[in-house]
Amino acid sequence: MHEAYIYDHVRTPRGKGRPDGGLHEITPIQLATQTLEALRGRNRLDTALIEDVILGCVSPVGEQGADIARVAAINAGYAQEVPGVQLNRFCASGLDAVNLAAAKIAAGHADALIAGGVESMSRVAMSSDGGAWSNDPQVAWKSYFTPQGIGADLIATLDGHSRTDIDALAVESQRRATHAWANGYFDRSIVPVRDLIGQVLCDRDEHLRPGTSLESLATLKPAFTQLGEDIGFDAVALQRYPQVERIRHIHTGGNSSGIVDGAASVLIGSREFGRAAGLKPRARIRACASIGSEPAIMLTGPAACSRRALQRAGMSVRDIDLFEINEAFASVVLRYRRELELSADIVNVNGGSIALGHPLGATGAMLVGTVLDELERRNLNTALITLCAAAGQATATIIERV
């Protein structure tokens, strides 16, 4: 087995995922292209050394279709020999791209790859790719299909979390992300997105809401009451969880992940690649795992997946310095911290997707870069990154500085 190393990473800012967002006029292919160009420029990279580009994309249709990874490599001016592949594990796609790259290197099938993801949620709407899982009743009933927000509220109900508990986590996410931006913690990795004439359109995460308070969040109405009570998805979920009398709807737009646009790329290679390219590795990928979980509630896989990755690495929870779990919904993070008995002080230390937004296919790769930068800033060694994913899945990755 060969070791897989992270040599560099970049990401775009997260632009609001709507027509007035800072990245709306930039196509998804251009978002991906600009991260690939940045990796090449920062590292004086001979792109002929890259043996694949792997990009996560959750809605690979329309402007995001047609193997966006290969087309982005061509558009970025990479050597024509560089292939590309798009993959989809829903919200975990960007992290799975990193894991697939690491696996190819570990198996000796490649020496250098770029992994990452892209999602332009303002231009290609979430769920626009359809699918039998949600749209075919003969399929949906087998998994008790319900939208993710119902699952998030069900977790909060099962675990006894109040609206205040949920909002408090969201306030802290906003506070930490605001502090990180104010102190330049993201500066090293951000690629300002430019238009065709080179003008900077967006250079900061737009979803951030400094000054968010419990009082301001308390004014927001629950987001999933209509889906659950009026359309009937609560009844579906309660068939799967008959021990619950009623689902309490407490998640809102303020304590759930934000809809945004963005892209990220991570340069991963063997030790031999680093020598050939004149680059020094920043971290190695110690272990990866993916897992299936109960598909109706859908969001509970990260703890079990983290344990699987830890077992493969021969590590325990106590061996990890920092944790990054995607803040899909506040209840997901609260359950994860409880299951692994984690202090809040080492989880999502610079905020998460509640504050910064969740560009579906790109988020996992962004979290790898964010936590690597923070390990270096704090002079710590190990981190675990994990995301829940739709249809009841999760992915996890452990990295270690070198």
Side-chain angles (χ1 to χ4, degrees):
M1 296 291 288
H2 303 265
E3 299 248 65
Y5 296 93
I6 298 173
Y7 284 90
D8 198 13
H9 65 90
V10 296
R11 74 168 177 93
T12 69
R14 297 164 169 98
K16 293 178 182 178
R18 57 192 196 215
D20 63 349
L23 296 180
H24 176 66
E25 72 175 76
I26 303 297
T27 62
I29 191 68
Q30 291 298 337
L31 289 176
T33 294
Q34 292 192 32
T35 63
L36 294 178
E37 290 173 336
L39 273 186
R40 179 184 58 204
R42 284 161 56 114
N43 297 284
R44 299 180 181 178
L45 184 62
D46 176 2
T47 60
L49 296 173
I50 303 300
E51 295 173 82
D52 212 348
V53 174
I54 308 171
L55 295 183
C57 184
V58 175
S59 296
V61 295
E63 292 181 325
Q64 291 180 166
D67 190 356
I68 193 170
R70 167 60 173 167
V71 181
I74 295 170
N75 199 46
Y78 275 42
Q80 70 176 9
E81 294 82 9
V82 180
V85 62
Q86 170 268 327
L87 65 80
N88 181 7
R89 200 193 294 276
F90 299 110
C91 295
S93 299
L95 188 59
D96 262 295
V98 170
N99 292 353
L100 178 56
K104 291 185 74 172
I105 291 165
H109 294 317
D111 278 315
L113 305 94
I114 291 175
V118 59
E119 206 80 34
S120 180
M121 301 181 76
S122 71
R123 298 178 69 99
V124 182
M126 182 167 52
S127 302
S128 58
D129 54 332
W133 168 53
S134 59
N135 294 338
D136 183 343
Q138 290 184 319
V139 176
W141 76 271
K142 292 184 178 180
S143 64
Y144 295 88
F145 170 77
T146 57
Q148 285 191 344
I150 305 300
D153 284 335
L154 178 55
I155 291 172
T157 301
L158 288 167
D159 292 354
H161 295 306
S162 68
R163 172 69 181 269
T164 300
D165 296 333
I166 297 296
D167 283 348
L169 187 141
V171 169
E172 183 62 10
S173 180
Q174 294 280 357
R175 187 196 68 79
R176 292 181 180 190
T178 298
H179 179 266
W181 263 110
N183 288 276
Y185 296 170
F186 302 137
D187 290 355
R188 180 177 181 181
S189 304
I190 291 288
V191 176
V193 175
R194 301 176 183 272
D195 63 14
L196 290 175
I197 63 173
Q199 179 179 345
V200 173
L201 293 180
C202 186
D203 60 3
R204 289 181 63 84
D205 294 318
E206 289 188 319
H207 190 264
L208 188 62
R209 298 183 180 94
T212 297
S213 66
L214 285 174
E215 292 74 22
S216 65
L217 290 183
T219 66
L220 301 178
K221 294 181 179 180
F224 306 107
T225 303
Q226 183 178 17
L227 276 173
E229 297 179 358
D230 299 342
I231 297 178
F233 282 111
D234 279 5
V236 177
L238 293 177
Q239 289 180 50
R240 181 64 182 83
Y241 291 87
Q243 69 271 33
V244 177
E245 179 181 357
R246 179 179 63 87
I247 297 174
R248 294 183 297 108
H249 292 289
I250 59 177
H251 281 87
T252 69
N255 53 40
S256 307
S257 56
I259 294 174
V260 294
D261 304 334
S265 290
V266 183
L267 177 60
I268 302 171
S270 65
R271 181 73 78 172
E272 291 72 22
F273 159 74
R275 294 192 186 103
L279 299 175
K280 182 179 178 181
R282 296 171 61 182
R284 67 183 175 117
I285 298 173
R286 283 201 54 169
C288 311
S290 293
I291 199 169
S293 62
E294 200 283 298
I297 204 167
M298 201 182 308
L299 308 167
T300 56
C305 194
S306 295
R307 292 190 188 101
R308 179 174 289 183
L310 288 165
Q311 183 180 24
R312 285 184 174 161
M315 302 172 75
S316 73
V317 169
R318 294 184 299 275
D319 295 320
I320 303 298
D321 295 318
L322 295 176
F323 289 81
E324 286 285 330
I325 175 172
N326 185 39
E327 292 177 351
F329 301 92
S331 63
V332 172
V333 181
L334 291 175
R335 172 170 281 205
Y336 183 74
R337 290 189 340 209
R338 187 201 67 187
E339 286 195 56
L340 295 187
E341 299 180 348
L342 299 176
S343 166
D345 294 338
I346 60 172
V347 180
N348 297 358
V349 296
N350 289 327
S353 291
I354 290 174
L356 299 169
H358 175 24
L360 305 178
T363 303
M366 289 183 172
L367 296 184
V368 170
T370 294
V371 79
L372 175 53
D373 287 350
E374 190 63 17
L375 287 175
E376 292 172 342
R377 192 184 72 82
R378 297 186 179 209
N379 196 27
L380 298 175
N381 293 314
T382 57
L384 189 152
I385 306 99
T386 187
L387 301 91
C388 57
Q393 300 180 91
T395 294
T397 306
I398 297 171
I399 66 171
E400 180 180 46
R401 286 179 61 205
V402 294

